[in-house]
Amino acid sequence: MKGFLALAVNRLAAAHGDRLRRPLALLVTYDEEIGTLGARAYAEAGGGSIPLPSRTIVGEPTGLRPVRLHKGHLRLRLVTTGVSAHSAYPDGGRSAVEPAARAIVALAGLDRRLRGQSSRVADRFPEAPFSSLNVGRVVGGTAANVVPDRCEVLLGLRLLPGADPAGMTARVETTLREAIGDAGWELETVGLSPPMESSPDSDLFRVLQAEADDSTDRGVAFATDAGWLERLGHDCVIFGPGSIEVAHRPEEWIGAAELARAGEVLDRQIARWCGATG
């Protein structure tokens, strides 16, 4: 994404307003990695003071293949509470870890049920054609000789386009209630990156397909800012150099030839959609 951002900044800096017949804009957001916080704030504010063009390229790494669908990511935190005590006198306390353990087993069952459900867009996600739930972090207790009075479980749900985040949260709550009852726990939403699905008839999508000489209609399993921008009426296409498979690694890289080609594609898009001349 940093490579794409450099390309976009350079092209915006080189653009001459008197040569553009339609507006060109660059939107830079913050904290995409921890929940698309900047895009969410922008969307919930109704956009900026100046309306942006609707055709939007989100430059996440796709190997320069256009993508019009992606999964969302819903982050939830479960906190179970108990009563601390010396483990030599366990009846004086109540463990917070034990109900959390039962909850984790129940959530694994919910994940299996999600994987078994069909979806109209499943064929766009052949590697994982389902919504899924992952328990990513568990923290509880202070020592082996202390009955723990608190346990925290962080979980993430990867949602297919069309899945309702509020409805999915309600399913998690029902699962927890069935597993551990109503007392001694709470569930909160700590982050949401909505799924994205633009129209297969999008003119921007079709043009980028022609650029890539690739008519495949695919989705990606990671989330982007496009899920929020779509809610403002943006026609989003995910299209950028590099591979998600090397992202978040010490040796993260983009090939020089691919980066140069991405710049050429952006030049042609600016000329086509903004009417750049000269």
Side-chain angles (χ1 to χ4, degrees):
M1 190 64 190
K2 292 181 284 291
F4 177 87
L5 182 59
L7 295 174
V9 167
N10 283 328
R11 273 140 189 88
L12 186 69
H16 297 282
D18 57 353
R19 297 180 185 175
L20 299 178
R21 291 192 291 271
R22 287 178 292 275
L24 172 67
L26 174 61
L27 177 63
V28 181
T29 65
Y30 62 88
D31 286 339
E32 184 269 340
E33 289 294 343
I34 61 173
T36 55
L37 301 186
R40 178 172 188 165
Y42 181 80
E44 290 181 342
S49 58
I50 301 175
L52 297 186
S54 60
R55 295 184 184 92
T56 305
I57 297 176
V58 178
E60 296 283 0
T62 65
L64 294 183
R65 296 186 297 270
V67 172
R68 67 175 188 89
L69 310 96
H70 70 57
K71 289 186 177 182
H73 195 205
L74 172 63
R75 297 172 175 87
L76 303 175
R77 178 188 290 115
L78 167 67
V79 176
T80 57
T81 55
V83 177
S84 181
H86 196 296
S87 66
Y89 304 95
D91 290 344
R94 187 180 73 252
S95 173
V97 168
E98 290 179 5
R102 295 198 302 274
I104 291 169
V105 172
L107 291 170
L110 175 58
D111 177 55
R112 289 191 293 272
R113 293 192 294 276
L114 292 174
R115 290 167 179 258
Q117 293 179 348
S118 61
S119 168
R120 61 177 177 79
V121 295
D123 61 334
R124 304 296 193 274
F125 299 87
E127 296 168 340
F130 42 72
S131 295
S132 60
L133 185 154
N134 176 61
V135 174
R137 187 168 186 261
V138 182
V139 179
T142 57
N145 64 338
V146 178
V147 177
D149 64 354
R150 188 179 189 277
C151 187
E152 179 180 294
V153 181
L154 293 179
L155 51 143
L157 293 105
R158 295 285 175 177
L159 306 180
L160 285 172
D164 173 34
M168 191 64 71
T169 300
R171 289 190 67 178
V172 171
E173 289 175 339
T174 298
T175 299
L176 295 173
R177 193 168 292 112
E178 292 173 349
I180 58 178
D182 288 319
W185 63 272
E186 61 180 24
L187 183 72
E188 65 173 322
T189 299
V190 295
L192 172 63
S193 302
M196 187 274 283
E197 180 180 7
S198 64
S199 170
D201 299 321
S202 157
D203 52 6
L204 177 61
F205 179 61
R206 294 301 188 191
V207 166
L208 290 174
Q209 281 187 314
E211 284 277 6
D213 191 22
D214 184 354
S215 61
T216 306
D217 188 8
R218 63 174 61 80
V220 291
F222 55 86
T224 79
D225 288 330
W228 288 110
L229 299 179
E230 187 181 47
R231 296 188 177 195
L232 292 175
H234 287 248
D235 175 16
C236 296
V237 180
I238 315 302
F239 182 87
S243 169
I244 195 66
E245 294 179 0
V246 301
H248 306 312
R249 297 183 181 183
E251 69 276 16
E252 182 176 290
W253 58 275
I254 298 174
E258 187 175 357
L259 197 65
R261 183 178 161 223
E264 294 167 359
V265 172
L266 288 181
D267 288 337
R268 288 192 288 272
Q269 300 316 300
I270 293 171
R272 171 185 284 270
W273 304 112
C274 300
T277 59

